[in-house]
Amino acid sequence: MPQSNLIYTLCYCANFEFNELHTHLNQHYDSKRFRNVIELKWKHGDVYIFDYGVVVFWNVDPYDRHDLLEKLTSFSNQILMQLIEDEFTFSSDGHALSIKNDHISLNRDEPLVRLALSHGLAQSTKLAHFEFQVQNTINDTAYIPKNIADTGKSKLSAKALSKLRGHLFISKSNIMLNYDLLDVPDFFWENPELDSLYGTVSDYLEIKQRIEVLSKKLETIHELFEMMSEEQKHKHSSLLEWIIIWLITFEVFVTIFHDLLGYI
Protein backbone atom coordinates (compact mmCIF):
# COMPACT_ATOMS: atom_id res chain seq x y z
CA MET A 1 0.00 0.00 0.00
CA PRO A 2 1.45 3.46 -0.89
CA GLN A 3 2.79 5.50 2.03
CA SER A 4 0.49 8.32 3.19
CA ASN A 5 1.88 11.83 3.57
CA LEU A 6 0.37 14.98 5.05
CA ILE A 7 -1.09 18.11 3.46
CA TYR A 8 -1.58 20.94 5.96
CA THR A 9 -3.48 24.06 4.89
CA LEU A 10 -3.48 27.26 6.93
CA CYS A 11 -5.25 30.60 6.52
CA TYR A 12 -2.56 32.67 8.22
CA CYS A 13 -3.34 36.31 7.47
CA ALA A 14 -5.62 38.63 5.46
CA ASN A 15 -3.06 38.78 2.64
CA PHE A 16 0.68 38.87 1.94
CA GLU A 17 2.84 41.68 0.59
CA PHE A 18 3.20 39.43 -2.38
CA ASN A 19 5.71 41.15 -4.65
CA GLU A 20 8.09 41.81 -1.75
CA LEU A 21 7.65 38.25 -0.50
CA HIS A 22 8.34 36.83 -3.94
CA THR A 23 11.50 38.92 -4.30
CA HIS A 24 12.74 37.81 -0.87
CA LEU A 25 12.07 34.12 -1.42
CA ASN A 26 13.49 34.18 -4.93
CA GLN A 27 16.76 35.60 -3.62
CA HIS A 28 17.22 33.14 -0.77
CA TYR A 29 15.34 29.92 -1.62
CA ASP A 30 14.31 27.63 -4.43
CA SER A 31 10.99 29.19 -5.45
CA LYS A 32 8.83 29.83 -8.50
CA ARG A 33 5.86 32.15 -9.05
CA PHE A 34 2.59 31.22 -10.78
CA ARG A 35 0.45 34.40 -10.91
CA ASN A 36 -0.82 34.74 -7.31
CA VAL A 37 0.97 31.66 -5.96
CA ILE A 38 4.58 31.02 -4.95
CA GLU A 39 5.83 27.45 -5.10
CA LEU A 40 8.60 26.95 -2.55
CA LYS A 41 10.83 23.94 -1.95
CA TRP A 42 11.04 23.82 1.84
CA LYS A 43 13.06 21.22 3.74
CA HIS A 44 11.78 17.88 2.44
CA GLY A 45 8.46 19.08 1.07
CA ASP A 46 6.67 21.63 -1.09
CA VAL A 47 4.87 24.77 0.01
CA TYR A 48 2.35 26.86 -1.95
CA ILE A 49 1.89 30.42 -0.70
CA PHE A 50 -1.23 32.22 -1.95
CA ASP A 51 -1.35 36.01 -2.01
CA TYR A 52 -4.67 36.01 -0.11
CA GLY A 53 -3.03 34.73 3.06
CA VAL A 54 -3.25 30.94 2.73
CA VAL A 55 -0.28 28.55 2.89
CA VAL A 56 -0.48 24.90 1.78
CA PHE A 57 2.24 22.57 3.06
CA TRP A 58 2.91 19.24 1.36
CA ASN A 59 4.83 16.83 3.55
CA VAL A 60 6.37 19.47 5.83
CA ASP A 61 6.66 18.62 9.54
CA PRO A 62 5.26 21.00 12.23
CA TYR A 63 8.65 22.38 13.30
CA ASP A 64 9.58 23.29 9.72
CA ARG A 65 6.13 24.79 9.13
CA HIS A 66 6.58 27.04 12.16
CA ASP A 67 10.03 28.03 10.93
CA LEU A 68 8.64 29.16 7.56
CA LEU A 69 5.70 31.02 9.10
CA GLU A 70 8.12 33.05 11.20
CA LYS A 71 9.88 34.12 8.00
CA LEU A 72 6.54 35.03 6.38
CA THR A 73 5.41 37.18 9.32
CA SER A 74 7.14 40.37 8.18
CA PHE A 75 5.35 40.09 4.81
CA SER A 76 1.92 39.38 6.36
CA ASN A 77 -0.96 41.83 6.71
CA GLN A 78 -3.36 41.32 9.64
CA ILE A 79 -2.24 37.98 11.02
CA LEU A 80 -5.43 36.25 12.12
CA MET A 81 -6.28 35.82 15.79
CA GLN A 82 -8.26 32.72 14.90
CA LEU A 83 -6.18 30.65 12.47
CA ILE A 84 -8.20 28.42 10.15
CA GLU A 85 -6.55 25.13 9.24
CA ASP A 86 -7.28 21.83 7.53
CA GLU A 87 -5.46 18.54 7.03
CA PHE A 88 -5.45 15.85 4.36
CA THR A 89 -3.32 12.82 3.71
CA PHE A 90 -2.14 11.85 0.24
CA SER A 91 -0.46 9.00 -1.58
CA SER A 92 0.43 8.17 -5.17
CA ASP A 93 -0.89 4.86 -6.45
CA GLY A 94 -0.93 5.46 -10.21
CA HIS A 95 -4.71 5.18 -10.48
CA ALA A 96 -7.19 7.96 -11.28
CA LEU A 97 -7.34 10.86 -8.83
CA SER A 98 -9.81 10.24 -6.00
CA ILE A 99 -10.61 11.77 -2.62
CA LYS A 100 -12.23 9.87 0.20
CA ASN A 101 -12.27 10.43 3.96
CA ASP A 102 -9.86 13.37 3.55
CA HIS A 103 -7.32 11.19 1.76
CA ILE A 104 -6.18 12.15 -1.74
CA SER A 105 -5.00 9.36 -4.04
CA LEU A 106 -2.88 10.79 -6.85
CA ASN A 107 -2.52 9.22 -10.25
CA ARG A 108 0.79 11.10 -10.58
CA ASP A 109 2.70 13.13 -8.02
CA GLU A 110 4.10 16.14 -9.87
CA PRO A 111 4.57 19.81 -8.86
CA LEU A 112 1.82 21.10 -11.18
CA VAL A 113 -0.58 18.45 -9.92
CA ARG A 114 0.14 19.51 -6.34
CA LEU A 115 -0.35 23.15 -7.33
CA ALA A 116 -3.69 22.44 -9.01
CA LEU A 117 -4.97 20.60 -5.95
CA SER A 118 -3.58 23.29 -3.63
CA HIS A 119 -5.72 25.91 -5.38
CA GLY A 120 -8.87 24.08 -4.30
CA LEU A 121 -7.58 23.38 -0.79
CA ALA A 122 -6.52 27.02 -0.31
CA GLN A 123 -9.86 28.37 -1.53
CA SER A 124 -11.72 26.07 0.85
CA THR A 125 -9.62 27.28 3.79
CA LYS A 126 -10.12 30.94 2.86
CA LEU A 127 -13.84 30.27 2.48
CA ALA A 128 -13.85 28.69 5.95
CA HIS A 129 -12.34 31.93 7.28
CA PHE A 130 -15.12 33.96 5.61
CA GLU A 131 -17.73 31.55 7.01
CA PHE A 132 -16.26 31.98 10.49
CA GLN A 133 -16.34 35.80 10.16
CA VAL A 134 -19.92 35.92 8.93
CA GLN A 135 -21.25 33.46 11.51
CA ASN A 136 -19.56 35.39 14.32
CA THR A 137 -21.13 38.62 13.07
CA ILE A 138 -24.58 37.00 12.90
CA ASN A 139 -24.16 35.47 16.39
CA ASP A 140 -22.96 38.77 17.86
CA THR A 141 -25.94 40.69 16.50
CA ALA A 142 -28.67 38.05 16.90
CA TYR A 143 -30.12 39.88 19.91
CA ILE A 144 -31.01 42.96 17.81
CA PRO A 145 -33.80 41.48 15.63
CA LYS A 146 -35.16 39.82 18.78
CA ASN A 147 -35.25 43.15 20.63
CA ILE A 148 -37.00 44.79 17.68
CA ALA A 149 -39.53 41.94 17.51
CA ASP A 150 -40.21 42.10 21.28
CA THR A 151 -40.16 45.87 21.89
CA GLY A 152 -40.30 47.54 18.48
CA LYS A 153 -36.80 49.03 18.88
CA SER A 154 -33.22 47.84 19.18
CA LYS A 155 -32.55 49.55 22.54
CA LEU A 156 -29.29 50.94 21.15
CA SER A 157 -28.14 54.55 21.35
CA ALA A 158 -27.44 56.53 18.18
CA LYS A 159 -23.71 56.15 18.78
CA ALA A 160 -24.03 52.39 19.34
CA LEU A 161 -26.13 52.10 16.18
CA SER A 162 -23.49 53.97 14.16
CA LYS A 163 -20.71 51.74 15.52
CA LEU A 164 -22.72 48.61 14.75
CA ARG A 165 -23.46 49.77 11.21
CA GLY A 166 -19.75 50.38 10.73
CA HIS A 167 -18.92 46.91 12.03
CA LEU A 168 -21.49 45.28 9.75
CA PHE A 169 -20.23 47.26 6.77
CA ILE A 170 -16.61 46.24 7.42
CA SER A 171 -17.57 42.56 7.82
CA LYS A 172 -19.50 42.55 4.59
CA SER A 173 -17.11 44.66 2.51
CA ASN A 174 -14.05 42.63 3.56
CA ILE A 175 -15.67 39.53 2.12
CA MET A 176 -17.20 41.14 -0.96
CA LEU A 177 -13.86 42.72 -1.93
CA ASN A 178 -12.27 39.27 -1.84
CA TYR A 179 -15.21 37.34 -3.30
CA ASP A 180 -13.43 36.83 -6.62
CA LEU A 181 -10.89 34.64 -4.79
CA LEU A 182 -13.58 31.96 -4.68
CA ASP A 183 -13.96 31.87 -8.47
CA VAL A 184 -12.07 29.43 -10.72
CA PRO A 185 -8.43 30.64 -10.62
CA ASP A 186 -6.93 32.10 -13.80
CA PHE A 187 -4.21 29.45 -13.54
CA PHE A 188 -6.62 26.94 -15.06
CA TRP A 189 -7.32 29.09 -18.11
CA GLU A 190 -3.63 28.71 -18.89
CA ASN A 191 -3.50 25.04 -17.84
CA PRO A 192 -6.87 23.56 -18.86
CA GLU A 193 -5.52 20.01 -18.67
CA LEU A 194 -5.36 20.46 -14.86
CA ASP A 195 -8.88 21.84 -14.47
CA SER A 196 -10.39 18.42 -13.70
CA LEU A 197 -8.05 18.07 -10.70
CA TYR A 198 -9.27 21.37 -9.29
CA GLY A 199 -12.87 20.35 -10.03
CA THR A 200 -12.47 17.12 -8.06
CA VAL A 201 -11.20 18.95 -4.97
CA SER A 202 -13.79 21.70 -5.34
CA ASP A 203 -16.64 19.18 -5.54
CA TYR A 204 -15.36 17.18 -2.58
CA LEU A 205 -15.08 20.30 -0.43
CA GLU A 206 -18.48 21.55 -1.68
CA ILE A 207 -17.07 24.99 -2.44
CA LYS A 208 -19.92 26.03 -4.74
CA GLN A 209 -22.63 25.03 -2.24
CA ARG A 210 -20.79 26.74 0.62
CA ILE A 211 -20.47 29.94 -1.42
CA GLU A 212 -24.25 29.92 -1.95
CA VAL A 213 -24.83 29.53 1.81
CA LEU A 214 -22.32 32.30 2.50
CA SER A 215 -24.15 34.57 0.05
CA LYS A 216 -27.44 34.01 1.90
CA LYS A 217 -25.75 34.84 5.21
CA LEU A 218 -24.33 38.01 3.67
CA GLU A 219 -27.88 38.90 2.64
CA THR A 220 -28.91 38.47 6.29
CA ILE A 221 -26.17 40.91 7.33
CA HIS A 222 -27.30 43.32 4.60
CA GLU A 223 -30.89 43.17 5.84
CA LEU A 224 -29.75 43.85 9.40
CA PHE A 225 -27.61 46.71 8.11
CA GLU A 226 -30.66 48.22 6.37
CA MET A 227 -32.75 47.72 9.51
CA MET A 228 -30.16 49.58 11.57
CA SER A 229 -30.04 52.33 8.95
CA GLU A 230 -33.82 52.79 9.07
CA GLU A 231 -33.85 52.88 12.87
CA GLN A 232 -31.04 55.44 12.91
CA LYS A 233 -32.99 57.62 10.46
CA HIS A 234 -36.09 57.25 12.62
CA LYS A 235 -34.18 58.24 15.77
CA HIS A 236 -32.68 61.22 13.97
CA SER A 237 -36.12 62.30 12.71
CA SER A 238 -37.58 61.91 16.20
CA LEU A 239 -34.80 64.02 17.65
CA LEU A 240 -35.46 66.76 15.08
CA GLU A 241 -39.16 66.63 15.85
CA TRP A 242 -38.52 67.06 19.58
CA ILE A 243 -36.12 69.94 18.90
CA ILE A 244 -38.81 71.67 16.82
CA ILE A 245 -41.43 71.06 19.54
CA TRP A 246 -39.16 72.52 22.22
CA LEU A 247 -38.31 75.52 20.04
CA ILE A 248 -42.00 76.20 19.44
CA THR A 249 -42.73 75.79 23.16
CA PHE A 250 -39.89 78.14 24.00
CA GLU A 251 -41.13 80.70 21.46
CA VAL A 252 -44.67 80.52 22.90
CA PHE A 253 -43.32 80.90 26.43
CA VAL A 254 -41.23 83.95 25.40
CA THR A 255 -44.26 85.51 23.67
CA ILE A 256 -46.50 84.98 26.72
CA PHE A 257 -43.80 86.28 29.04
CA HIS A 258 -43.36 89.37 26.81
CA ASP A 259 -47.12 90.01 26.82
CA LEU A 260 -47.29 89.64 30.60
CA LEU A 261 -44.49 92.21 31.00
CA GLY A 262 -46.53 94.58 28.83
CA TYR A 263 -49.42 94.49 31.32
CA ILE A 264 -47.25 95.18 34.31
Side-chain angles (χ1 to χ4, degrees), residues 91-100 103-108 196-197 200:
S91 61
S92 180
D93 57 13
H95 298 111
L97 173 72
S98 64
I99 308 177
K100 185 177 181 180
H103 178 81
I104 303 175
S105 298
L106 303 174
N107 57 341
R108 63 188 195 279
S196 61
L197 302 179
T200 300

Side-chain angles (χ1 to χ4, degrees), residues 60 66 72 88 97 118-119 123 128 154 156 159 171 178 182 184 186 190 192 209 215 224 229 233 235 245 252 258 260:
V60 179
H66 182 266
L72 297 181
F88 283 75
L97 173 72
S118 294
H119 269 288
Q123 279 186 329
S154 65
L156 294 172
K159 183 177 180 180
S171 297
N178 293 286
L182 304 178
V184 177
D186 292 339
E190 301 169 354
Q209 296 93 318
S215 296
L224 182 58
S229 178
K233 289 177 183 177
K235 285 192 173 185
I245 290 170
V252 170
H258 182 269
L260 286 175

Side-chain angles (χ1 to χ4, degrees), residues 11 42 44 48 102 159 248 250 256:
C11 187
W42 187 253
H44 303 292
Y48 297 92
D102 291 349
K159 183 177 180 180
I248 292 172
F250 179 74
I256 293 173

Side-chain angles (χ1 to χ4, degrees), residues 8-16 18 21 36-38 47-57 69 72 80 84-85 118-129 181:
Y8 177 78
T9 307
L10 177 70
C11 187
Y12 183 64
C13 60
N15 60 280
F16 291 110
F18 202 65
L21 176 59
N36 70 327
V37 189
I38 296 172
V47 180
Y48 297 92
I49 304 168
F50 292 79
D51 63 352
Y52 50 81
V54 177
V55 187
V56 181
F57 298 88
L69 290 173
L72 297 181
L80 304 180
I84 305 297
E85 58 187 1
S118 294
H119 269 288
L121 297 172
Q123 279 186 329
S124 175
T125 308
K126 190 69 174 183
L127 178 57
H129 168 62
L181 300 177

Side-chain angles (χ1 to χ4, degrees), residues 19-241:
N19 291 329
E20 292 82 352
L21 176 59
H22 171 246
T23 300
H24 173 76
L25 294 177
N26 202 41
Q27 289 173 347
H28 297 89
Y29 305 100
D30 181 8
S31 66
K32 187 185 298 184
R33 180 172 178 173
F34 298 87
R35 285 185 172 268
N36 70 327
V37 189
I38 296 172
E39 177 190 75
L40 175 67
K41 300 296 181 182
W42 187 253
K43 308 301 181 179
H44 303 292
D46 293 324
V47 180
Y48 297 92
I49 304 168
F50 292 79
D51 63 352
Y52 50 81
V54 177
V55 187
V56 181
F57 298 88
W58 288 71
N59 220 23
V60 179
D61 65 44
Y63 177 83
D64 292 333
R65 294 199 300 258
H66 182 266
D67 187 28
L68 177 58
L69 290 173
E70 283 192 336
K71 298 181 187 305
L72 297 181
T73 298
S74 58
F75 302 95
S76 305
N77 293 321
Q78 300 175 36
I79 295 176
L80 304 180
M81 297 295 292
Q82 178 68 43
L83 300 179
I84 305 297
E85 58 187 1
D86 202 358
E87 287 188 1
F88 283 75
T89 55
F90 74 97
S91 61
S92 180
D93 57 13
H95 298 111
L97 173 72
S98 64
I99 308 177
K100 185 177 181 180
N101 298 326
D102 291 349
H103 178 81
I104 303 175
S105 298
L106 303 174
N107 57 341
R108 63 188 195 279
D109 190 2
E110 301 170 358
L112 283 180
V113 170
R114 291 188 176 195
L115 174 56
L117 297 173
S118 294
H119 269 288
L121 297 172
Q123 279 186 329
S124 175
T125 308
K126 190 69 174 183
L127 178 57
H129 168 62
F130 290 155
E131 291 168 335
F132 178 80
Q133 272 189 310
V134 168
Q135 192 57 52
N136 271 357
T137 300
I138 291 174
N139 291 344
D140 290 344
T141 56
Y143 69 94
I144 296 173
K146 186 177 186 307
N147 282 348
I148 294 174
D150 292 343
T151 66
K153 54 186 178 180
S154 65
K155 299 181 180 179
L156 294 172
S157 66
K159 183 177 180 180
L161 276 173
S162 294
K163 290 175 68 175
L164 180 59
R165 287 184 64 200
H167 177 70
L168 291 173
F169 180 77
I170 289 172
S171 297
K172 183 179 179 181
S173 62
N174 281 344
I175 294 173
M176 295 306 296
L177 289 172
N178 293 286
Y179 219 62
D180 61 323
L181 300 177
L182 304 178
D183 202 357
V184 177
D186 292 339
F187 172 79
F188 295 103
W189 292 100
E190 301 169 354
N191 301 273
E193 72 280 3
L194 300 172
D195 184 64
S196 61
L197 302 179
Y198 167 78
T200 300
V201 174
S202 179
D203 290 344
Y204 178 80
L205 295 169
E206 299 181 331
I207 289 178
K208 185 178 294 185
Q209 296 93 318
R210 287 163 61 196
I211 290 174
E212 290 175 359
V213 172
L214 182 64
S215 296
K216 292 185 183 302
K217 289 184 177 182
L218 283 172
E219 288 176 12
T220 300
I221 290 178
H222 177 74
E223 290 171 1
L224 182 58
F225 180 87
E226 291 298 314
M227 192 184 302
M228 295 298 94
S229 178
E230 287 301 316
E231 180 164 359
Q232 193 168 39
K233 289 177 183 177
H234 175 70
K235 285 192 173 185
H236 183 67
S237 298
S238 297
L239 177 62
L240 290 177
E241 288 174 3

